[in-house]
Amino acid sequence: MQLAERMAHRAIGSTHPNPPVGAIIVKDKTIIARGWTQKNGSLHAEVHAINQVRNKKQLEGASIYTTLEPCSHIGKNPPCVDKIIKYKFLKVFISEIDKNALVKGKSIKKLRKRKIKVIVRNFGKETRYINKVFFDSLNNNRPHITLKIASTADGKIATKSKKSKWITNSVSRQHGHMLRAQNDCMLIGRGTIVEDNPSLDCRLRGLESFSPDLFILDSTMSIPNHYKIFSNHSRNVFVFYSDGKKRSNLNKKNIKYIKISKKGSELSLGEILNKITNLGYMRILVEGGSHLSGSLLKNNYVNEIQWFRASKIIGKGGVDAVSDMGVSNMKSTKNFVLLESKNYGNDILTIYRKK
């Protein structure tokens, strides 16, 4: 099950609207196949693992370990449970029952009816956390939000003149690109786009196709058409606005504008997150922009914080990592616990997760 969990981790950020699941097939105490949920609603983990076995006769009497109850309904794919029954598996080990109303124990009943032994046991906290992201999105319309901050040692993300390029070192930046690959989409404010003109893609070798879709807050639709975010046609770009003139790039197939009501003087974050979840996205990465970070934290929307601190110091007059919060050290907030701390050369990465 630990190996199945690792397979589920491999799928994180690329499976929406499906959950990332890992599966391991064992025959005569030997692992004969491993699988994980494939990209964008393609093969489920169990079927992906089954397909790795060329001689299907090997599957008879085998056991399959999976991090979530196999599906029993028809969606983009036929039911995984039918494949398990077809190839006469002996045992099915499940880490957690699927809380999707379309499944929710139905697969277990079907397997047991066919005399296949089913063992349900929670094997680890991390597997439960991975599944919880899916359950929250599906049943509570709540996406999982990871806030990524790259700051100086004194908690600044830019100088007074708003210059901020490459505060952290190259290793930290590689981890940041991995975070992009591990999330379905990114949420970014207009200020970060206009000031930095970033590409916001994943530039890790071999993972370029895992660049997340983009959601941009631009209430007046005023970001110029020539900016980098509009030049990549291989992913979807959504712009949230409240008013403004129609833009020429409305005609581009990968760019969509979504009108959002205002809450006070700002776009409604609650409505924005609901829209993102309704589009099937489960994991949102937020990069840059102290105001957006502060608003998300204030409203208790953030689930995880990955904070990179470089050894540099900007001092008085720099831009705080999180505006209007008085936060320079996440240990001072009561809603989060320290999960992990890592050293990347002179940089320190601290990971916090909501209690």
Side-chain angles (χ1 to χ4, degrees), residues 84-106:
I84 294 171
I85 291 168
K86 176 183 176 180
Y87 292 114
K88 298 179 181 179
F89 279 80
L90 182 66
K91 295 178 182 178
V92 179
F93 293 84
I94 298 169
S95 189
E96 192 166 9
I97 294 172
D98 195 338
K99 293 180 183 177
N100 182 349
L102 294 172
V103 186
K104 211 169 186 178
K106 293 174 185 175

Side-chain angles (χ1 to χ4, degrees), residues 51-110:
N51 287 354
Q52 308 308 308
V53 182
R54 290 185 179 181
N55 181 5
K56 296 296 188 284
K57 289 183 179 179
Q58 275 189 287
L59 296 171
E60 186 173 343
S63 297
I64 187 167
Y65 295 75
T66 180
T67 56
L68 187 64
E69 179 182 4
C71 69
S72 56
H73 63 291
I74 298 174
K76 286 186 177 180
N77 299 282
C80 295
V81 69
D82 290 351
K83 288 274 188 180
I84 294 171
I85 291 168
K86 176 183 176 180
Y87 292 114
K88 298 179 181 179
F89 279 80
L90 182 66
K91 295 178 182 178
V92 179
F93 293 84
I94 298 169
S95 189
E96 192 166 9
I97 294 172
D98 195 338
K99 293 180 183 177
N100 182 349
L102 294 172
V103 186
K104 211 169 186 178
K106 293 174 185 175
S107 294
I108 295 171
K109 288 180 182 177
K110 194 170 184 178

Side-chain angles (χ1 to χ4, degrees), residues 121-151:
R121 187 178 304 158
N122 286 324
F123 284 89
K125 289 182 180 179
E126 193 58 28
T127 293
R128 289 199 297 274
Y129 192 80
I130 292 170
N131 292 336
K132 185 180 183 300
V133 172
F134 171 63
F135 299 151
D136 281 347
S137 174
L138 184 71
N139 299 326
N140 303 323
N141 214 37
R142 288 174 54 194
H144 181 278
I145 296 179
T146 298
L147 179 61
K148 180 232 169 185
I149 299 172
S151 77

Side-chain angles (χ1 to χ4, degrees), residues 148 150-152 156-170 172-173 177 180 192 195-199 203 228 287-288 310 312 314 319 347:
K148 180 232 169 185
S151 77
T152 57
K156 308 293 183 180
I157 61 170
T159 63
K160 190 176 181 179
S161 61
K162 296 190 176 180
K163 290 183 179 179
S164 62
K165 190 174 182 181
W166 293 350
I167 287 175
T168 53
N169 63 33
S170 60
S172 294
R173 293 197 297 274
H177 283 286
R180 291 176 182 176
T192 299
E195 288 156 17
D196 299 335
N197 192 17
S199 299
R203 293 192 287 278
K228 291 178 182 177
E287 279 193 35
K312 304 167 186 173
I314 288 177
V319 180
D347 294 351

